[in-house]
Amino acid sequence: MGKVAFVFAGQGAQYPGMGRELYEHSAAARAAFDRAEAIRPGTLEMCFHGSADALAQTVNTQPCLFAMDYACAEAAVEAGVAPSFCAGFSLGEVVAAGFAGVMDFEQAFRFVVRRGERMQECAGRVSGAMGAVLRLSPEAVEAICREFPDAAYPVNYNCPGQTVVACRAEIYDALAARVIAEKGRMLRLNVSGAFHTPWMGAASADLAEYLSGQRLNVPRIPLYANATAQPYAVDGAQLLSRQVSNPVRWQESVENMAAAGAEVFVELGAGKTLSGLIRKTIPGARVYNVEKPEDLEKLKEELCR
């Protein structure tokens, strides 16, 4: 099958009903969901029956997606898939850290609950928006953002031709107009704040203080950090707290995992966003996603080959 990288989905991928079929199908997934529910009662109800609006609130999105991502990973392991690398997109990095043993499940889940609360608090202080800019180079996007000092930032370097920006909500239309003027396109994202910007600094500081009292471990498999696109070394606390107010270097992370030998990428969690980004970054990669029982069957077929 080749070396496998597990990649964990991030905020924006959530949808009502996510995980319900997997919960009924996989004992390993069910156990992960039940652990999350025991720590934060109401998580299952929100995942399986919550409204789109409720799920889009950061304070709900993050713990619910954590449960979904982790359950999908446990189901993939139950199906016989053994990863050699892992990474997660934004929120997904916390799931990856839990899966790779930097923190145990309860530590990681409690951390993501706090992360969601603090990021929502910061989002409430600045009315922000995020949009995916297509067809322009990262350098062109950076140049446009510089035209809006302290009001717009490039925050997610997703794949060739796609960079996400975060901005004050009141300048979103002006920013999008500049993108169009440069022959690009901008798609608004379904998130409730301007994440990975200096406006998340208070959340970053709070999370750093919180993690200073936690015991963290060296990952059991290489875990690639959003902030550096390199494997974790020792200071997981610094990487996890810094991440919320710094850009996500996703394209580089994928390229570095491929350079280290990853041939198969398995996206765990809601949707197929990361799968699309990976295909654009590494055209020859074999890419799968796990969010429903039928996805596990496809993975098993690949294992048999």
Side-chain angles (χ1 to χ4, degrees):
M1 186 178 186
K3 288 187 176 180
V4 176
F6 273 11
V7 293
F8 294 84
Q11 197 162 340
Q14 70 277 355
Y15 60 87
M18 63 181 184
R20 187 169 54 210
E21 293 176 60
L22 202 62
Y23 184 89
E24 296 168 354
H25 176 86
S26 163
R30 185 161 54 253
F33 272 119
D34 287 345
R35 290 171 77 184
E37 176 68 15
I39 298 167
R40 181 181 180 271
T43 298
L44 288 185
E45 176 67 21
M46 182 64 66
C47 287
F48 300 164
H49 306 292
S51 69
D53 287 345
L55 269 175
Q57 294 302 306
T58 298
V59 70
N60 294 323
T61 311
Q62 296 202 17
C64 288
L65 275 176
F66 182 105
M68 175 66 173
D69 286 12
Y70 206 101
C72 291
E74 292 290 270
V77 171
E78 181 184 47
V81 184
S84 298
F85 312 96
C86 64
F89 193 102
S90 188
L91 155 74
E93 185 176 348
V94 183
V95 192
F99 180 81
V102 175
M103 298 182 274
D104 64 29
F105 182 94
E106 183 170 349
Q107 266 185 304
F109 189 75
R110 291 190 183 280
F111 174 72
V112 90
V113 169
R114 188 181 186 95
R115 183 181 188 270
E117 292 169 349
R118 297 300 173 265
M119 290 176 73
Q120 182 156 311
E121 287 171 4
C122 287
R125 297 186 191 115
V126 175
S127 180
M130 296 176 71
V133 178
L134 311 180
R135 304 175 188 157
L136 297 182
S137 69
E139 294 78 15
V141 175
E142 290 164 357
I144 292 171
C145 287
R146 285 195 293 271
E147 297 176 19
F148 301 85
D150 302 321
Y153 301 91
V155 292
N156 301 340
Y157 294 84
N158 285 351
C159 68
Q162 185 180 134
T163 304
V164 171
V165 299
C167 65
R168 292 185 179 274
E170 63 267 23
I171 65 116
Y172 183 90
D173 289 344
L175 187 65
R178 282 293 296 120
V179 168
I180 293 169
E182 296 296 327
K183 310 301 183 187
R185 186 181 175 204
M186 190 161 159
L187 302 176
R188 194 158 188 157
L189 302 185
N190 179 29
V191 294
S192 58
F195 304 128
H196 300 287
T197 66
W199 299 315
M200 293 288 130
S204 181
D206 176 87
L207 294 173
E209 182 179 356
Y210 177 78
L211 288 176
S212 69
Q214 302 282 318
R215 178 176 177 177
L216 303 186
N217 306 308
V218 175
R220 60 182 176 82
I221 59 175
L223 165 61
Y224 286 73
N226 285 181
T228 64
Q230 299 295 330
Y232 275 48
V234 190
D235 195 1
Q238 194 266 352
L239 289 170
L240 285 168
S241 58
R242 169 186 169 193
Q243 182 232 53
V244 301
S245 57
N246 279 264
V248 174
R249 301 197 169 278
W250 187 251
Q251 179 181 334
E252 288 180 66
S253 298
V254 171
E255 289 170 342
N256 289 341
M257 284 188 283
E263 299 175 19
V264 178
F265 291 83
V266 181
E267 178 177 4
L268 292 314
K272 301 179 182 178
T273 298
L274 299 185
S275 297
L277 301 181
I278 291 165
R279 289 188 178 99
K280 291 175 183 175
T281 303
I282 311 291
R286 285 176 286 164
V287 184
Y288 302 87
N289 73 297
V290 171
E291 63 175 324
K292 295 182 178 180
E294 53 264 36
D295 302 325
L296 290 171
E297 297 307 314
K298 291 179 184 176
L299 262 185
K300 289 177 183 178
E301 290 174 11
E302 175 70 14
L303 282 171
C304 291
R305 290 211 301 269

